[in-house]
Amino acid sequence: MKRLAIVLILSALALCGCKDGGVNGENAATAEAEQSSKERESLFGIEHEELYSVIGKIKSGETFGGILTRLGLPAERHSAVMAAADGIFDPRKIRSGNSYEALYESEGGRLLYFIYDVDTYTHVLFSLADSLYVKRVVEERSLQQRYATVTIESSLWNDLQKAGVSPLLALKISDIYAWAIDFFSLQKGDSFTALYDELLFEGETVDIGNIWYAEFNHAGKTYYAVNYKDGEKSSLYWNEKGESLRKAFLKAPLNFFRITSRFTYSRRHPVLKIVRPHTGVDYAAPKGTPVMTIGDGVVIFKGWSGGGGNTIKIRHNSIYTTSYMHLSGYAKGLAKGSRVKQGEVIGYVGSTGLSTGPHLDFRVYKNGTPIDPLKMESPSVEPISKENMENFSATMQSYRFRLDSLRTSQHVESLLNVL
């Protein structure tokens, strides 16, 4: 989004060495500045035609009040600004690295507006002059329904990019199939097809919306995912039989990293150099990678456990307990006795204890006995209700019909391009 004032655009042209632009150069600069002003007026409802603009990024550790002071707003105005923002935007939630723009009536003049960019297309306008108000502005995004078919050659992320599909789809797909497919064990030749919504902003993909239907072929088996809301049930994705894809336990406690050591009773320890059991799975990942609990439960241990370093243990029910070891730190507020929900971040990958590098040592205990996490069976939650099965089947068929239609349209378009 262009939001530069006339004075800055002319200065930028001079600095770029555009010396003798002549009348045409000046006219072009003026036209661009006027267009920028119109865009700003249209988007934020700002009526001033010429403003002095300062653009920057929120610095680490900065507070909202500190930023306003630095930009020149008198301290006595701060409380009124906070009051005006109540219910619209919480200024305490500004993030370091996000962009902002300060608009002045002239260079060295009064600060009239402060614009904070929540993300690419969401902004908060603070009007700080005589008429004090705050409003959230969301730029229009377009929604396009698409389909993608991708075959795994190296990794889900890389192969999506090679196929010209937004890698954001990988995150959505992994969330949907988190209970059914171990994404650390994807094989060359596995593939998936998905029908989904793509959100576009100024022609660029900014997010993936709903995934309506998907088929994932893994290790010779096809896993279906159908988007369907069954009353008040929390599950949103179901297989072709109406069984929920949501299980009691996730397949893995973190995303998109590799297994370096598996469950065995005879592993040579990398630090101690002796052969002894390793009754867990090691996931290599960068330090600080979020670690999630694989299921609902209660924290029964949080602290140092010798060779395991910083460790968290969670009791899920009377049968299953899990352990997460070598952590660099814990989630804020987590303590012994805390109740946690499936997928909740409980800590971060580290290399504490007896460890040669950052990784997560993940262990599962069934009735107190260690079991292989990669072979653990997990029950599904309640299936679709009988009275909704007919409607569910019809919905699934409609998704398949839409998928076929998009495939046909793309094929015809490709033929026309060739001709």
Side-chain angles (χ1 to χ4, degrees), residues 24-42:
N24 290 337
E26 291 178 3
N27 288 344
T30 302
E32 184 176 353
E34 289 176 351
Q35 178 62 28
S36 175
S37 179
K38 290 177 182 178
E39 289 177 2
R40 183 169 55 247
E41 180 178 347
S42 174

Side-chain angles (χ1 to χ4, degrees), residues 2 18 43 120 143 149 153 159 178 190 200 221 224 237 262 269 294 309 332 343 361 373 397 401:
K2 299 175 182 176
C18 305
L43 183 61
T120 304
L143 185 147
T149 298
E153 295 294 335
D159 292 321
D190 288 351
L200 304 173
K221 181 179 178 180
Y224 296 89
Y237 290 95
R262 296 174 181 266
H269 195 280
I294 65 165
K332 187 177 180 180
D361 185 341
Q397 291 303 317
F401 178 78

Side-chain angles (χ1 to χ4, degrees), residues 96-379:
S96 62
N98 282 26
S99 300
Y100 69 82
E101 181 177 14
L103 296 171
Y104 299 82
E105 59 184 353
S106 62
E107 185 173 3
R110 284 190 307 162
L111 176 64
L112 300 182
Y113 300 97
F114 176 78
I115 301 168
Y116 172 69
D117 297 333
V118 179
D119 52 41
T120 304
Y121 40 81
T122 308
H123 319 275
V124 180
L125 170 69
F126 295 83
S127 175
L128 306 172
D130 300 329
S131 177
L132 195 151
Y133 62 86
V134 178
K135 69 177 179 179
R136 181 182 289 264
V137 178
V138 180
E139 296 188 69
E140 185 177 352
R141 294 168 290 165
S142 60
L143 185 147
Q144 179 180 12
Q145 194 165 86
R146 293 192 58 187
Y147 87 93
T149 298
V150 177
T151 299
I152 307 300
E153 295 294 335
S154 58
S155 73
L156 180 61
W157 191 275
N158 291 337
D159 292 321
L160 276 165
Q161 289 183 306
K162 289 179 182 177
V165 179
S166 170
L168 294 172
L169 185 59
L171 301 177
K172 296 279 189 175
I173 287 290
S174 64
D175 284 344
I176 292 171
Y177 287 107
W179 296 271
I181 297 174
D182 180 3
F183 281 83
F184 295 95
S185 63
L186 291 183
Q187 304 169 8
K188 186 176 181 179
D190 288 351
S191 64
F192 78 89
T193 297
L195 174 68
Y196 63 98
D197 290 337
E198 190 173 60
L199 295 174
L200 304 173
F201 176 66
E202 296 183 349
E204 298 292 330
T205 301
V206 293
D207 201 1
I208 300 297
N210 287 321
I211 293 181
W212 300 107
Y213 176 78
E215 299 173 3
F216 206 118
N217 299 298
H218 170 59
K221 181 179 178 180
T222 300
Y223 297 84
Y224 296 89
V226 183
N227 186 317
Y228 185 82
K229 183 62 177 172
D230 184 24
E232 297 301 316
K233 293 179 182 176
S234 59
S235 292
L236 186 61
Y237 290 95
W238 316 80
N239 66 15
E240 77 281 10
K241 298 177 182 177
E243 298 168 339
S244 174
L245 291 188
R246 187 179 186 275
K247 306 283 186 178
F249 299 116
L250 296 173
K251 276 288 187 180
L254 70 173
N255 293 324
F256 298 119
F257 296 100
R258 60 190 177 90
I259 293 174
T260 55
S261 183
R262 296 174 181 266
F263 187 97
T264 177
Y265 282 97
S266 57
R267 183 188 75 154
R268 182 176 173 81
H269 195 280
V271 177
L272 300 176
K273 306 301 182 183
I274 60 175
V275 176
R276 69 177 192 176
H278 180 257
T279 53
V281 174
D282 285 350
Y283 294 96
K287 181 180 178 181
T289 299
V291 175
M292 304 173 291
T293 171
I294 65 165
D296 297 355
V298 177
V299 176
I300 59 173
F301 179 84
K302 173 199 168 188
W304 188 266
S305 64
N310 294 327
T311 299
I312 294 172
K313 293 182 180 179
I314 297 173
R315 183 175 61 241
H316 300 283
N317 50 37
S318 60
I319 298 175
Y320 290 101
T321 299
T322 53
S323 177
Y324 311 77
M325 303 161 67
H326 303 301
L327 302 173
S328 62
Y330 309 103
K332 187 177 180 180
L334 192 78
K336 183 178 179 179
S338 296
R339 291 194 170 274
V340 292
K341 292 290 185 181
Q342 184 181 73
E344 181 178 336
V345 174
I346 56 173
Y348 304 90
V349 169
S351 187
T352 55
L354 290 177
S355 170
T356 58
H359 74 286
L360 173 71
D361 185 341
F362 173 61
R363 307 195 178 198
V364 177
Y365 300 86
K366 183 177 182 180
N367 294 319
T369 301
I371 64 171
D372 188 345
L374 300 179
K375 296 179 180 179
M376 180 175 62
E377 293 294 330
S378 181

